[in-house]
Amino acid sequence: MIRWPAYLLRGVAGLAGAFVLWLFAAWPPPVWYRTHWPAETAFQEMRRGEAQGRRSAKSLGRRGAETQARLYHPVPLDSIAPSMVDAVMAGEDQRFRDHHGIDWVSLRHALGYDRDDFHWASARDRRDLARALSHAWARRDQLRGASTITQQLAKNLYLSPSRNPLRKVKEAVTAWRLEAALDKDRIMELYLNTVELGPEVWGAEAASELYFHHPARRLTLFESTELAGELPFPLRSNPGYRPARMLHRQQLILAHLRGESVVIPPDSGLGDVPDTIVPAPTIDSLPPVQAESLVPLLQNDSGKAGQGDSGVAGRPDSGTTGP
């Protein structure tokens, strides 16, 4: 039997303890967000640093510094049109109400394990899972697409867009902690107020005011699916920039909301499109078949999405920001 020196054992134990501490470190703790808004998320801080770096580079080049003000106006969930909630769940996390932070079904499918059941006692299931895991790196794009709304919120609040596998493990642990501390409506409320929807545009309220000139309470179905269609690339695809990518994804979300069986990929599938800034698409600019299918939706949606509340009670202290 190998006898390990005491100092080596202590070193290993110290490293293990440090890893666990890092894994669970999150400030403020998730329970804080039951009653507070984040003053600045980790993602917002990262973007602010990037903007400052660009301004410094422009100043050094004597081209002048341009300032992009942060747009961030958190509002209660009942101040956001229900169509926005539906569109985001359709595009980003269709089983949001059913999972506990990790969507194991989507994760298995992303790995290439297509059956809906799995049993450790089954040799066939273990063999098929091992085969799927062996191709995990080749399917990394699909795995990124299996990220839930809770995981995206964990990333927005605490982490970064790094693709480091250890960072993804921390994202999963943080998502589980958010689900344990908050109910689904509060998670959705935080997500819709902190999600990136353009350069320095954070949340549905700020995006609605910027792109459509009215509050998020009045978002129509068509506008909601435009905003949801930005994801997961809001800097490259939004109502003011590269709308072809956004329009393609919007069509898939609308088809899903109509009850059609469609697969919404993590990317729009369009690849790179020209860097030309063009106007946001209108119903007249769509191909005849697409325009024809959208007319009933737009007519049914007219004046409806912005009426009333989503049924979620607002919090009396929901205007309080975090540290």
Side-chain angles (χ1 to χ4, degrees):
M1 178 178 177
I2 300 176
R3 299 186 62 181
W4 295 93
Y7 69 87
L8 185 57
L9 289 176
R10 286 196 296 270
V12 171
L15 288 174
F19 175 74
V20 171
L21 182 63
W22 169 82
L23 198 60
F24 283 86
W27 187 260
V31 70
W32 172 266
Y33 290 118
R34 286 182 182 174
T35 54
H36 293 76
W37 295 114
E40 183 178 60
T41 68
F43 237 63
Q44 290 171 352
E45 182 182 12
M46 179 193 71
R47 294 298 191 213
R48 177 166 54 82
E50 291 174 350
Q52 290 173 348
R54 287 193 298 271
R55 289 196 294 270
S56 297
K58 288 180 179 179
S59 297
L60 288 172
R62 296 182 180 178
R63 295 169 55 189
E66 297 177 5
T67 301
Q68 174 71 48
R70 185 183 72 169
L71 301 179
Y72 172 51
H73 310 297
V75 296
L77 191 58
D78 58 10
S79 293
I80 299 174
S83 60
M84 185 65 190
V85 177
D86 294 339
V88 165
M89 283 199 295
E92 297 299 301
D93 188 357
Q94 295 171 15
R95 279 180 283 272
F96 171 70
R97 296 288 178 184
D98 301 322
H99 62 67
H100 300 288
I102 306 296
D103 186 351
W104 297 108
V105 175
S106 293
L107 196 58
R108 289 202 305 267
H109 291 173
L111 280 169
Y113 183 94
D114 294 325
R115 297 201 306 277
D116 286 332
D117 58 344
F118 175 81
H119 303 283
W120 283 109
S122 168
R124 178 192 173 193
D125 287 359
R126 294 197 305 271
R127 184 174 60 253
D128 288 350
L129 180 61
R131 186 182 301 115
L133 288 172
S134 68
H135 298 95
W137 180 252
R139 300 178 67 89
R140 57 190 180 278
D141 290 336
Q142 290 90 330
L143 288 170
R144 283 197 295 272
S147 179
T148 66
I149 282 175
T150 313
Q151 287 176 273
Q152 293 179 45
L153 177 61
K155 178 180 66 176
N156 292 345
L157 290 176
Y158 296 111
L159 304 171
S160 73
S162 167
R163 298 176 182 178
N164 186 308
L166 287 179
R167 207 278 303 165
K168 293 295 291 183
V169 172
K170 180 162 184 172
E171 177 186 288
V173 170
T174 307
W176 171 78
R177 293 183 64 194
L178 285 168
E179 290 273 348
L182 310 173
D183 60 43
K184 287 289 187 179
D185 288 334
R186 181 57 174 166
I187 289 172
M188 178 61 74
E189 187 174 62
L190 284 165
Y191 175 78
L192 287 178
N193 278 287
T194 59
V195 65
E196 187 176 29
L197 292 173
E200 288 297 315
V201 182
W202 305 95
E205 181 75 6
S208 182
E209 293 282 2
L210 176 66
Y211 299 127
F212 308 121
H213 313 294
H214 58 66
R217 182 192 294 274
R218 293 172 49 201
L219 282 168
T220 66
L221 176 62
F222 194 79
E223 291 167 345
S224 295
T225 53
E226 275 192 329
L227 294 181
E230 296 185 35
L231 306 172
F233 303 112
L235 300 185
R236 291 182 285 162
S237 176
N238 58 61
Y241 187 60
R242 292 185 175 181
R245 182 190 296 270
M246 179 198 69
L247 179 61
H248 175 76
R249 193 167 180 83
Q250 179 192 32
Q251 299 304 301
L252 295 176
I253 295 172
L254 282 168
H256 176 82
L257 293 176
R258 286 197 300 265
E260 298 179 22
S261 179
V262 297
V263 176
I264 303 177
D267 194 351
S268 67
L270 292 182
D272 291 331
V273 292
D275 290 340
T276 305
I277 298 177
V278 297
T282 64
I283 190 70
D284 297 329
S285 69
L286 299 176
V289 174
Q290 291 181 342
E292 205 172 288
S293 66
L294 282 178
V295 169
L297 275 173
L298 295 173
Q299 290 175 341
N300 292 339
D301 183 59
S302 179
K304 181 176 70 174
Q307 295 177 359
D309 294 339
S310 63
V312 180
R315 293 167 174 76
D317 53 350
S318 61
T320 307
T321 56

